[in-house]
Amino acid sequence: MSDAAGDYVYDEETGEWLSPEDAAAKSAGPEVVDAVGNVLADGDAVTLIKDLKVKGAGQTLKRGTLIKSIRLTGDAQEIDCRHEGIKGLVLRAEFVKNAADPFSLLQCSTNDIRQSR
């Protein structure tokens, strides 16, 4: 099946012919969102929102730790990253927030003030 705009692509899961735009959107993978709801992308820097014990490493990553240059996996809830001394670290997206979020520093400082009282 072809069209003047381009060739259609057959989707084996649904059994339908998709336009090139729809096929590209479907093959892009799942959308990964952080704890606040921001969309994450490859290469983003994220900050941990709570202390996490790392299984097998005997280490705890503290709240506020900056993780640079994340990589998205095929799963919508997991991100692959590296940290000092920990290889192959996989984090759940629900425990991080995008470090480029302009309100993230404001939220952290407000929570810290509330806890110190």
Side-chain angles (χ1 to χ4, degrees), residues 46-78:
V46 295
T47 307
L48 298 180
I49 61 168
K50 66 180 276 184
D51 293 352
L52 298 175
K53 294 180 183 176
V54 181
K55 294 180 181 177
Q59 222 177 356
T60 301
L61 296 176
K62 298 292 184 183
R63 177 177 162 232
T65 302
L66 181 66
I67 306 289
K68 298 179 184 178
S69 187
I70 64 167
R71 285 178 283 153
L72 301 180
T73 62
D75 189 359
Q77 290 297 317
E78 295 180 348

PDB file of all heavy atoms in Angstrom, residues 46-78:
ATOM      1  N   VAL A  46      19.414  14.298  36.588  1.00  0.00           N
ATOM      2  CA  VAL A  46      18.313  14.164  37.532  1.00  0.00           C
ATOM      3  C   VAL A  46      18.840  14.234  38.960  1.00  0.00           C
ATOM      4  O   VAL A  46      20.020  14.014  39.211  1.00  0.00           O
ATOM      5  CB  VAL A  46      17.536  12.840  37.325  1.00  0.00           C
ATOM      6  CG1 VAL A  46      16.846  12.818  35.982  1.00  0.00           C
ATOM      7  CG2 VAL A  46      18.432  11.641  37.487  1.00  0.00           C
ATOM      8  N   THR A  47      17.940  14.543  39.885  1.00  0.00           N
ATOM      9  CA  THR A  47      18.257  14.624  41.303  1.00  0.00           C
ATOM     10  C   THR A  47      17.387  13.620  42.038  1.00  0.00           C
ATOM     11  O   THR A  47      16.199  13.489  41.741  1.00  0.00           O
ATOM     12  CB  THR A  47      17.958  16.036  41.834  1.00  0.00           C
ATOM     13  OG1 THR A  47      18.629  16.990  41.021  1.00  0.00           O
ATOM     14  CG2 THR A  47      18.416  16.189  43.259  1.00  0.00           C
ATOM     15  N   LEU A  48      17.958  12.926  43.008  1.00  0.00           N
ATOM     16  CA  LEU A  48      17.185  11.974  43.804  1.00  0.00           C
ATOM     17  C   LEU A  48      16.278  12.716  44.771  1.00  0.00           C
ATOM     18  O   LEU A  48      16.684  13.716  45.363  1.00  0.00           O
ATOM     19  CB  LEU A  48      18.115  11.055  44.589  1.00  0.00           C
ATOM     20  CG  LEU A  48      19.040  10.170  43.765  1.00  0.00           C
ATOM     21  CD1 LEU A  48      19.911   9.322  44.682  1.00  0.00           C
ATOM     22  CD2 LEU A  48      18.259   9.276  42.834  1.00  0.00           C
ATOM     23  N   ILE A  49      15.067  12.216  44.966  1.00  0.00           N
ATOM     24  CA  ILE A  49      14.126  12.881  45.871  1.00  0.00           C
ATOM     25  C   ILE A  49      14.049  12.193  47.229  1.00  0.00           C
ATOM     26  O   ILE A  49      13.380  12.683  48.125  1.00  0.00           O
ATOM     27  CB  ILE A  49      12.722  12.987  45.254  1.00  0.00           C
ATOM     28  CG1 ILE A  49      12.137  11.606  44.969  1.00  0.00           C
ATOM     29  CG2 ILE A  49      12.748  13.842  44.003  1.00  0.00           C
ATOM     30  CD1 ILE A  49      10.658  11.635  44.637  1.00  0.00           C
ATOM     31  N   LYS A  50      14.708  11.037  47.371  1.00  0.00           N
ATOM     32  CA  LYS A  50      14.756  10.363  48.670  1.00  0.00           C
ATOM     33  C   LYS A  50      16.013   9.511  48.750  1.00  0.00           C
ATOM     34  O   LYS A  50      16.639   9.225  47.745  1.00  0.00           O
ATOM     35  CB  LYS A  50      13.503   9.518  48.908  1.00  0.00           C
ATOM     36  CG  LYS A  50      13.349   8.336  47.971  1.00  0.00           C
ATOM     37  CD  LYS A  50      12.103   7.529  48.252  1.00  0.00           C
ATOM     38  CE  LYS A  50      12.368   6.534  49.349  1.00  0.00           C
ATOM     39  NZ  LYS A  50      11.265   5.645  49.634  1.00  0.00           N
ATOM     40  N   ASP A  51      16.398   9.118  49.956  1.00  0.00           N
ATOM     41  CA  ASP A  51      17.551   8.243  50.141  1.00  0.00           C
ATOM     42  C   ASP A  51      17.233   6.864  49.582  1.00  0.00           C
ATOM     43  O   ASP A  51      16.153   6.318  49.834  1.00  0.00           O
ATOM     44  CB  ASP A  51      17.898   8.108  51.625  1.00  0.00           C
ATOM     45  CG  ASP A  51      18.411   9.403  52.229  1.00  0.00           C
ATOM     46  OD1 ASP A  51      18.643  10.359  51.470  1.00  0.00           O
ATOM     47  OD2 ASP A  51      18.590   9.446  53.455  1.00  0.00           O
ATOM     48  N   LEU A  52      18.175   6.305  48.822  1.00  0.00           N
ATOM     49  CA  LEU A  52      17.982   4.984  48.222  1.00  0.00           C
ATOM     50  C   LEU A  52      19.135   4.072  48.596  1.00  0.00           C
ATOM     51  O   LEU A  52      20.298   4.420  48.399  1.00  0.00           O
ATOM     52  CB  LEU A  52      17.908   5.100  46.692  1.00  0.00           C
ATOM     53  CG  LEU A  52      16.765   5.926  46.119  1.00  0.00           C
ATOM     54  CD1 LEU A  52      16.922   6.044  44.612  1.00  0.00           C
ATOM     55  CD2 LEU A  52      15.428   5.292  46.453  1.00  0.00           C
ATOM     56  N   LYS A  53      18.820   2.900  49.127  1.00  0.00           N
ATOM     57  CA  LYS A  53      19.839   1.887  49.400  1.00  0.00           C
ATOM     58  C   LYS A  53      20.096   1.134  48.109  1.00  0.00           C
ATOM     59  O   LYS A  53      19.165   0.652  47.463  1.00  0.00           O
ATOM     60  CB  LYS A  53      19.367   0.925  50.473  1.00  0.00           C
ATOM     61  CG  LYS A  53      19.205   1.553  51.829  1.00  0.00           C
ATOM     62  CD  LYS A  53      18.734   0.544  52.842  1.00  0.00           C
ATOM     63  CE  LYS A  53      18.502   1.214  54.180  1.00  0.00           C
ATOM     64  NZ  LYS A  53      17.951   0.271  55.164  1.00  0.00           N
ATOM     65  N   VAL A  54      21.364   1.015  47.729  1.00  0.00           N
ATOM     66  CA  VAL A  54      21.728   0.340  46.484  1.00  0.00           C
ATOM     67  C   VAL A  54      22.036  -1.116  46.815  1.00  0.00           C
ATOM     68  O   VAL A  54      22.968  -1.411  47.566  1.00  0.00           O
ATOM     69  CB  VAL A  54      22.946   1.011  45.815  1.00  0.00           C
ATOM     70  CG1 VAL A  54      23.287   0.305  44.521  1.00  0.00           C
ATOM     71  CG2 VAL A  54      22.663   2.480  45.572  1.00  0.00           C
ATOM     72  N   LYS A  55      21.235  -2.010  46.245  1.00  0.00           N
ATOM     73  CA  LYS A  55      21.419  -3.440  46.511  1.00  0.00           C
ATOM     74  C   LYS A  55      22.732  -3.907  45.897  1.00  0.00           C
ATOM     75  O   LYS A  55      23.056  -3.579  44.759  1.00  0.00           O
ATOM     76  CB  LYS A  55      20.277  -4.246  45.918  1.00  0.00           C
ATOM     77  CG  LYS A  55      18.950  -3.977  46.578  1.00  0.00           C
ATOM     78  CD  LYS A  55      17.859  -4.805  45.951  1.00  0.00           C
ATOM     79  CE  LYS A  55      16.537  -4.509  46.590  1.00  0.00           C
ATOM     80  NZ  LYS A  55      15.453  -5.254  45.951  1.00  0.00           N
ATOM     81  N   GLY A  56      23.503  -4.682  46.632  1.00  0.00           N
ATOM     82  CA  GLY A  56      24.742  -5.251  46.122  1.00  0.00           C
ATOM     83  C   GLY A  56      25.948  -4.341  46.244  1.00  0.00           C
ATOM     84  O   GLY A  56      27.070  -4.795  46.120  1.00  0.00           O
ATOM     85  N   ALA A  57      25.730  -3.058  46.464  1.00  0.00           N
ATOM     86  CA  ALA A  57      26.853  -2.128  46.557  1.00  0.00           C
ATOM     87  C   ALA A  57      27.143  -1.737  48.007  1.00  0.00           C
ATOM     88  O   ALA A  57      28.215  -1.208  48.288  1.00  0.00           O
ATOM     89  CB  ALA A  57      26.584  -0.879  45.728  1.00  0.00           C
ATOM     90  N   GLY A  58      26.206  -1.986  48.888  1.00  0.00           N
ATOM     91  CA  GLY A  58      26.404  -1.615  50.285  1.00  0.00           C
ATOM     92  C   GLY A  58      26.522  -0.114  50.474  1.00  0.00           C
ATOM     93  O   GLY A  58      27.232   0.361  51.351  1.00  0.00           O
ATOM     94  N   GLN A  59      25.837   0.627  49.652  1.00  0.00           N
ATOM     95  CA  GLN A  59      25.931   2.082  49.651  1.00  0.00           C
ATOM     96  C   GLN A  59      24.531   2.673  49.677  1.00  0.00           C
ATOM     97  O   GLN A  59      23.577   2.047  49.225  1.00  0.00           O
ATOM     98  CB  GLN A  59      26.639   2.530  48.371  1.00  0.00           C
ATOM     99  CG  GLN A  59      27.628   3.607  48.548  1.00  0.00           C
ATOM    100  CD  GLN A  59      28.314   3.928  47.218  1.00  0.00           C
ATOM    101  OE1 GLN A  59      28.106   3.318  46.192  1.00  0.00           O
ATOM    102  NE2 GLN A  59      29.145   4.933  47.259  1.00  0.00           N
ATOM    103  N   THR A  60      24.400   3.876  50.196  1.00  0.00           N
ATOM    104  CA  THR A  60      23.137   4.600  50.163  1.00  0.00           C
ATOM    105  C   THR A  60      23.342   5.895  49.397  1.00  0.00           C
ATOM    106  O   THR A  60      24.246   6.667  49.714  1.00  0.00           O
ATOM    107  CB  THR A  60      22.640   4.911  51.593  1.00  0.00           C
ATOM    108  OG1 THR A  60      22.482   3.682  52.300  1.00  0.00           O
ATOM    109  CG2 THR A  60      21.322   5.643  51.563  1.00  0.00           C
ATOM    110  N   LEU A  61      22.516   6.114  48.400  1.00  0.00           N
ATOM    111  CA  LEU A  61      22.541   7.382  47.675  1.00  0.00           C
ATOM    112  C   LEU A  61      21.603   8.338  48.397  1.00  0.00           C
ATOM    113  O   LEU A  61      20.434   8.036  48.604  1.00  0.00           O
ATOM    114  CB  LEU A  61      22.090   7.182  46.226  1.00  0.00           C
ATOM    115  CG  LEU A  61      22.979   6.299  45.364  1.00  0.00           C
ATOM    116  CD1 LEU A  61      22.363   6.106  43.995  1.00  0.00           C
ATOM    117  CD2 LEU A  61      24.366   6.905  45.244  1.00  0.00           C
ATOM    118  N   LYS A  62      22.115   9.474  48.790  1.00  0.00           N
ATOM    119  CA  LYS A  62      21.366  10.435  49.600  1.00  0.00           C
ATOM    120  C   LYS A  62      20.445  11.293  48.747  1.00  0.00           C
ATOM    121  O   LYS A  62      20.686  11.512  47.564  1.00  0.00           O
ATOM    122  CB  LYS A  62      22.328  11.345  50.373  1.00  0.00           C
ATOM    123  CG  LYS A  62      23.222  10.605  51.345  1.00  0.00           C
ATOM    124  CD  LYS A  62      22.408  10.041  52.470  1.00  0.00           C
ATOM    125  CE  LYS A  62      23.328   9.379  53.489  1.00  0.00           C
ATOM    126  NZ  LYS A  62      22.575   8.766  54.553  1.00  0.00           N
ATOM    127  N   ARG A  63      19.412  11.807  49.387  1.00  0.00           N
ATOM    128  CA  ARG A  63      18.480  12.727  48.746  1.00  0.00           C
ATOM    129  C   ARG A  63      19.242  13.958  48.268  1.00  0.00           C
ATOM    130  O   ARG A  63      20.082  14.489  48.978  1.00  0.00           O
ATOM    131  CB  ARG A  63      17.416  13.130  49.753  1.00  0.00           C
ATOM    132  CG  ARG A  63      16.437  14.123  49.226  1.00  0.00           C
ATOM    133  CD  ARG A  63      15.391  14.398  50.276  1.00  0.00           C
ATOM    134  NE  ARG A  63      14.725  15.624  49.929  1.00  0.00           N
ATOM    135  CZ  ARG A  63      14.557  16.637  50.740  1.00  0.00           C
ATOM    136  NH1 ARG A  63      14.995  16.562  51.972  1.00  0.00           N
ATOM    137  NH2 ARG A  63      13.951  17.709  50.331  1.00  0.00           N
ATOM    138  N   GLY A  64      18.950  14.404  47.050  1.00  0.00           N
ATOM    139  CA  GLY A  64      19.624  15.567  46.495  1.00  0.00           C
ATOM    140  C   GLY A  64      20.844  15.224  45.665  1.00  0.00           C
ATOM    141  O   GLY A  64      21.451  16.108  45.074  1.00  0.00           O
ATOM    142  N   THR A  65      21.219  13.934  45.598  1.00  0.00           N
ATOM    143  CA  THR A  65      22.369  13.526  44.790  1.00  0.00           C
ATOM    144  C   THR A  65      22.072  13.770  43.316  1.00  0.00           C
ATOM    145  O   THR A  65      21.008  13.402  42.821  1.00  0.00           O
ATOM    146  CB  THR A  65      22.684  12.027  45.015  1.00  0.00           C
ATOM    147  OG1 THR A  65      22.937  11.816  46.398  1.00  0.00           O
ATOM    148  CG2 THR A  65      23.878  11.594  44.201  1.00  0.00           C
ATOM    149  N   LEU A  66      23.004  14.383  42.621  1.00  0.00           N
ATOM    150  CA  LEU A  66      22.849  14.684  41.208  1.00  0.00           C
ATOM    151  C   LEU A  66      23.398  13.528  40.376  1.00  0.00           C
ATOM    152  O   LEU A  66      24.538  13.117  40.554  1.00  0.00           O
ATOM    153  CB  LEU A  66      23.589  15.973  40.847  1.00  0.00           C
ATOM    154  CG  LEU A  66      23.494  16.431  39.397  1.00  0.00           C
ATOM    155  CD1 LEU A  66      22.063  16.833  39.061  1.00  0.00           C
ATOM    156  CD2 LEU A  66      24.441  17.584  39.149  1.00  0.00           C
ATOM    157  N   ILE A  67      22.576  13.001  39.490  1.00  0.00           N
ATOM    158  CA  ILE A  67      22.975  11.951  38.556  1.00  0.00           C
ATOM    159  C   ILE A  67      22.986  12.584  37.178  1.00  0.00           C
ATOM    160  O   ILE A  67      21.966  13.074  36.699  1.00  0.00           O
ATOM    161  CB  ILE A  67      21.996  10.761  38.581  1.00  0.00           C
ATOM    162  CG1 ILE A  67      21.803  10.220  39.985  1.00  0.00           C
ATOM    163  CG2 ILE A  67      22.431   9.690  37.616  1.00  0.00           C
ATOM    164  CD1 ILE A  67      22.985   9.480  40.549  1.00  0.00           C
ATOM    165  N   LYS A  68      24.147  12.577  36.521  1.00  0.00           N
ATOM    166  CA  LYS A  68      24.284  13.220  35.218  1.00  0.00           C
ATOM    167  C   LYS A  68      24.170  12.201  34.095  1.00  0.00           C
ATOM    168  O   LYS A  68      24.517  11.038  34.265  1.00  0.00           O
ATOM    169  CB  LYS A  68      25.642  13.919  35.114  1.00  0.00           C
ATOM    170  CG  LYS A  68      25.831  15.025  36.122  1.00  0.00           C
ATOM    171  CD  LYS A  68      27.192  15.647  35.980  1.00  0.00           C
ATOM    172  CE  LYS A  68      27.420  16.693  37.053  1.00  0.00           C
ATOM    173  NZ  LYS A  68      28.748  17.284  36.964  1.00  0.00           N
ATOM    174  N   SER A  69      23.713  12.647  32.962  1.00  0.00           N
ATOM    175  CA  SER A  69      23.685  11.888  31.714  1.00  0.00           C
ATOM    176  C   SER A  69      22.995  10.533  31.850  1.00  0.00           C
ATOM    177  O   SER A  69      23.620   9.489  31.751  1.00  0.00           O
ATOM    178  CB  SER A  69      25.111  11.705  31.190  1.00  0.00           C
ATOM    179  OG  SER A  69      25.080  11.117  29.917  1.00  0.00           O
ATOM    180  N   ILE A  70      21.693  10.576  32.061  1.00  0.00           N
ATOM    181  CA  ILE A  70      20.928   9.338  32.157  1.00  0.00           C
ATOM    182  C   ILE A  70      20.658   8.776  30.761  1.00  0.00           C
ATOM    183  O   ILE A  70      20.750   9.488  29.768  1.00  0.00           O
ATOM    184  CB  ILE A  70      19.589   9.560  32.892  1.00  0.00           C
ATOM    185  CG1 ILE A  70      18.691  10.506  32.092  1.00  0.00           C
ATOM    186  CG2 ILE A  70      19.813  10.029  34.298  1.00  0.00           C
ATOM    187  CD1 ILE A  70      17.259  10.538  32.579  1.00  0.00           C
ATOM    188  N   ARG A  71      20.344   7.487  30.707  1.00  0.00           N
ATOM    189  CA  ARG A  71      19.921   6.840  29.469  1.00  0.00           C
ATOM    190  C   ARG A  71      18.584   6.168  29.712  1.00  0.00           C
ATOM    191  O   ARG A  71      18.390   5.527  30.741  1.00  0.00           O
ATOM    192  CB  ARG A  71      20.948   5.793  29.020  1.00  0.00           C
ATOM    193  CG  ARG A  71      22.197   6.432  28.430  1.00  0.00           C
ATOM    194  CD  ARG A  71      23.187   5.385  28.060  1.00  0.00           C
ATOM    195  NE  ARG A  71      23.817   4.950  29.323  1.00  0.00           N
ATOM    196  CZ  ARG A  71      24.348   3.762  29.522  1.00  0.00           C
ATOM    197  NH1 ARG A  71      24.331   2.870  28.582  1.00  0.00           N
ATOM    198  NH2 ARG A  71      24.894   3.453  30.678  1.00  0.00           N
ATOM    199  N   LEU A  72      17.670   6.320  28.774  1.00  0.00           N
ATOM    200  CA  LEU A  72      16.362   5.705  28.910  1.00  0.00           C
ATOM    201  C   LEU A  72      16.432   4.255  28.456  1.00  0.00           C
ATOM    202  O   LEU A  72      17.119   3.927  27.489  1.00  0.00           O
ATOM    203  CB  LEU A  72      15.327   6.460  28.084  1.00  0.00           C
ATOM    204  CG  LEU A  72      15.153   7.940  28.424  1.00  0.00           C
ATOM    205  CD1 LEU A  72      14.102   8.555  27.528  1.00  0.00           C
ATOM    206  CD2 LEU A  72      14.804   8.139  29.878  1.00  0.00           C
ATOM    207  N   THR A  73      15.723   3.394  29.162  1.00  0.00           N
ATOM    208  CA  THR A  73      15.618   1.996  28.763  1.00  0.00           C
ATOM    209  C   THR A  73      14.296   1.829  28.019  1.00  0.00           C
ATOM    210  O   THR A  73      13.570   2.792  27.815  1.00  0.00           O
ATOM    211  CB  THR A  73      15.646   1.085  30.009  1.00  0.00           C
ATOM    212  OG1 THR A  73      14.520   1.387  30.826  1.00  0.00           O
ATOM    213  CG2 THR A  73      16.918   1.291  30.806  1.00  0.00           C
ATOM    214  N   GLY A  74      13.955   0.643  27.648  1.00  0.00           N
ATOM    215  CA  GLY A  74      12.679   0.398  26.977  1.00  0.00           C
ATOM    216  C   GLY A  74      11.502   0.462  27.930  1.00  0.00           C
ATOM    217  O   GLY A  74      10.358   0.530  27.515  1.00  0.00           O
ATOM    218  N   ASP A  75      11.765   0.457  29.224  1.00  0.00           N
ATOM    219  CA  ASP A  75      10.720   0.490  30.244  1.00  0.00           C
ATOM    220  C   ASP A  75      10.381   1.936  30.598  1.00  0.00           C
ATOM    221  O   ASP A  75      11.264   2.781  30.726  1.00  0.00           O
ATOM    222  CB  ASP A  75      11.215  -0.246  31.488  1.00  0.00           C
ATOM    223  CG  ASP A  75      10.135  -0.468  32.526  1.00  0.00           C
ATOM    224  OD1 ASP A  75       8.992  -0.041  32.298  1.00  0.00           O
ATOM    225  OD2 ASP A  75      10.440  -1.066  33.565  1.00  0.00           O
ATOM    226  N   ALA A  76       9.101   2.206  30.792  1.00  0.00           N
ATOM    227  CA  ALA A  76       8.667   3.572  31.102  1.00  0.00           C
ATOM    228  C   ALA A  76       8.995   3.981  32.530  1.00  0.00           C
ATOM    229  O   ALA A  76       8.918   5.160  32.863  1.00  0.00           O
ATOM    230  CB  ALA A  76       7.167   3.708  30.866  1.00  0.00           C
ATOM    231  N   GLN A  77       9.374   3.041  33.392  1.00  0.00           N
ATOM    232  CA  GLN A  77       9.627   3.365  34.790  1.00  0.00           C
ATOM    233  C   GLN A  77      11.097   3.284  35.188  1.00  0.00           C
ATOM    234  O   GLN A  77      11.431   3.593  36.322  1.00  0.00           O
ATOM    235  CB  GLN A  77       8.820   2.429  35.696  1.00  0.00           C
ATOM    236  CG  GLN A  77       7.342   2.702  35.646  1.00  0.00           C
ATOM    237  CD  GLN A  77       7.005   4.093  36.164  1.00  0.00           C
ATOM    238  OE1 GLN A  77       7.534   4.543  37.174  1.00  0.00           O
ATOM    239  NE2 GLN A  77       6.139   4.783  35.455  1.00  0.00           N
ATOM    240  N   GLU A  78      11.983   2.865  34.294  1.00  0.00           N
ATOM    241  CA  GLU A  78      13.385   2.683  34.660  1.00  0.00           C
ATOM    242  C   GLU A  78      14.304   3.549  33.811  1.00  0.00           C
ATOM    243  O   GLU A  78      14.067   3.727  32.617  1.00  0.00           O
ATOM    244  CB  GLU A  78      13.793   1.221  34.515  1.00  0.00           C
ATOM    245  CG  GLU A  78      13.076   0.307  35.481  1.00  0.00           C
ATOM    246  CD  GLU A  78      13.489  -1.140  35.332  1.00  0.00           C
ATOM    247  OE1 GLU A  78      14.161  -1.476  34.337  1.00  0.00           O
ATOM    248  OE2 GLU A  78      13.132  -1.931  36.212  1.00  0.00           O
TER     249      GLU A  78
END
